[in-house]
Amino acid sequence: MNSHPIPFGVVGLGRIGMQHCRFFAENCEHYLPVAFCDLDAVRTETVVNQYGGKAHADFTAFLADPALELVIIATPSLDHARNAEQALAAGKIVLVEKPIGVTADDYRLLQRLDHKYPGKLYFCHNHRFEPAFENMRAIIATGLLGNVQVVKLARHHTFGRRNDWQMRLDHGGGQLSVWGPHLLDQGLQLLGAPVREVSSYLRRILTPGDADDHVRILLTGENDVIAELEISNAVALPGPYGTIFGDRGTLVCDQAQKELRLKYLAPDFRWSAATTSTTFPAPGTHWTTDGALPWIEEVRPVVPATNLWNQVEIELARHLFEAIRNGIPFPVKNADALEVVRLTEIVKNQNPRFNWIG
């Protein structure tokens, strides 16, 4: 096993870029910070003073650093695909922050780059590693819930008028781009089959910007499983983060993602043979003759019991190192990430009331 640290750098030192700086630099066993790039000199100097490496204001000069092996792209959303192309052309390994692409042109470019630079391009769908999501997937895999029929995932954010650049379409904003990639990625994993149908509606409810702050997407898999996805800044009474309906039980996880509630039929229970009737039941007769069902109810803590935002970064860095140094497949397949962009374009086309870029 190769344990040689990966020399890395980050371009774009905003909120998410700073997160990547911190967690990759603190993982000093596997990563070595060598260069950072941003137009804001105060930001680059702050990062360099904290983690070491060189500060750059020019992206070309940053990419010319021969010590730099891995480039993490955390620039504004509309620049992600083009910056990835530049970094790959400079011979670097590249990790692209989401949304990996905002336009149909971005999608086509990323497809070409994935084909041209095999093993060099990675996509940052790090919320694949949320503990609650991973716990949900593990429970589904045990078969306790039976055959999954409906998956519901929701991100209900603080009710309010978000007014930063992420609510401007000319900056590639909107919740479809902000949280859409994460929920689409999670939904596709739980769907367990290629998407056959997409339906959606987007609304601008509270934001003073021109972008969407309420997203609803319905995916139907070729296996007929349904994934209902919702993202909103306009829900005053939040619903669960995750709900799974199977033919043997249900799982619910609230927005805090601290525990999972399950109600499922005892594993040894089997339905007896039954038919439906054309007769009308007598008054007072119940519409089922199954009697009391052998339910099992549980409340399970989400494990590990850690900060979600920290955990997704820790797991991202761990998996990326193993992929780059030891050839262990990265959990987020490029085809999965590109499918998220394709579905996003379908949703945009279904909602022409918005002035989409590209």
Side-chain angles (χ1 to χ4, degrees):
M1 301 292 281
N2 188 342
S3 60
H4 183 67
I6 299 172
F8 82 97
V10 179
V11 56
L13 302 179
R15 182 173 56 87
I16 297 300
M18 289 292 196
Q19 279 281 90
H20 295 325
C21 291
R22 173 192 166 192
F23 284 94
F24 279 77
E26 288 181 354
N27 187 346
C28 55
E29 181 182 358
H30 293 143
Y31 294 94
L32 176 68
V34 296
F36 300 95
C37 182
D38 196 278
L39 295 175
D40 187 330
V42 174
R43 292 183 181 183
T44 50
E45 290 298 333
T46 298
V47 172
V48 167
N49 289 337
Q50 189 166 3
Y51 303 118
K54 299 177 182 177
H56 295 275
D58 180 74
F59 187 42
T60 301
F62 167 80
L63 292 177
D65 190 329
L68 189 60
E69 182 178 357
L70 168 66
V71 171
I72 300 175
I73 305 290
T75 49
S77 299
L78 291 172
D79 296 331
H80 287 176
R82 180 174 56 84
N83 289 161
E85 181 182 31
Q86 293 171 282
L88 288 165
K92 311 303 181 183
I93 299 170
V94 175
L95 174 68
V96 186
E97 177 56 47
K98 67 82 203 166
I100 63 172
V102 178
T103 68
D105 285 344
D106 288 345
Y107 175 58
R108 288 186 286 268
L109 173 57
L110 291 169
Q111 285 182 303
R112 292 196 298 272
L113 296 176
D114 183 42
H115 179 74
K116 184 177 181 179
Y117 299 97
K120 297 292 185 179
L121 181 60
Y122 297 88
F123 297 123
C124 185
H125 285 267
N126 56 352
H127 282 259
R128 176 85 66 89
F129 310 124
E130 289 181 12
F133 176 71
E134 292 192 320
N135 286 192
M136 289 165 60
R137 290 185 72 185
I139 290 170
I140 291 170
T142 67
L144 283 181
L145 304 178
N147 296 314
V148 170
Q149 305 297 317
V150 177
V151 171
K152 297 183 179 184
L153 297 174
R155 284 290 184 180
H156 293 157
H157 302 287
T158 302
F159 187 93
R161 300 187 299 170
R162 182 168 181 170
N163 62 2
D164 65 345
W165 68 271
Q166 292 278 29
M167 288 292 109
R168 293 178 59 108
L169 291 180
D170 60 354
H171 282 61
Q175 283 293 9
L176 181 61
S177 290
V178 179
W179 268 96
H182 292 317
L183 253 65
L184 280 166
D185 179 60
Q186 291 181 350
L188 288 171
Q189 296 308 301
L190 297 180
L191 201 63
V195 173
R196 187 179 69 225
E197 298 175 13
V198 181
S199 61
S200 64
Y201 67 82
L202 275 57
R203 296 290 184 269
R204 184 175 70 86
I205 299 176
L206 295 177
T207 178
D210 65 343
D212 53 287
D213 61 356
H214 184 93
V215 175
R216 180 79 169 181
I217 302 172
L218 184 70
L219 305 177
T220 303
E222 291 183 355
N223 55 2
D224 284 330
V225 177
I226 299 292
E228 300 178 13
L229 313 176
E230 185 170 85
I231 308 157
S232 186
N233 291 65
V235 176
L237 294 172
Y241 151 65
T243 306
I244 310 294
F245 296 154
D247 60 12
R248 294 184 65 86
T250 296
L251 177 154
V252 175
C253 179
D254 65 17
Q255 289 288 332
Q257 298 191 25
K258 299 299 183 183
E259 63 182 27
L260 305 168
R261 292 189 293 116
L262 294 92
K263 184 175 180 178
Y264 57 92
L265 293 168
D268 60 353
F269 172 77
R270 296 294 181 271
W271 295 101
S272 60
T275 60
T276 56
S277 172
T278 60
T279 62
F280 295 95
T285 302
H286 200 264
W287 39 260
T288 176
T289 57
D290 292 316
L293 296 175
W295 290 113
I296 296 175
E297 297 190 50
E298 296 184 50
V299 177
R300 300 185 185 183
V302 170
V303 292
T306 185
N307 181 286
L308 178 157
W309 306 98
N310 294 348
Q311 187 69 13
V312 298
E313 287 286 326
I314 291 169
E315 288 297 285
L316 170 67
R318 180 176 71 85
H319 284 294
L320 186 62
F321 177 83
E322 293 297 343
I324 293 172
R325 283 288 182 259
N326 297 309
I328 297 174
F330 191 57
V332 180
K333 298 177 182 178
N334 285 8
D336 293 346
L338 289 167
E339 175 68 354
V340 168
V341 184
R342 186 186 76 85
L343 294 175
T344 300
E345 287 303 304
I346 292 174
V347 171
K348 289 179 179 178
N349 289 333
Q350 292 177 349
N351 292 269
R353 65 193 295 175
F354 291 92
N355 187 26
W356 304 110
I357 298 294

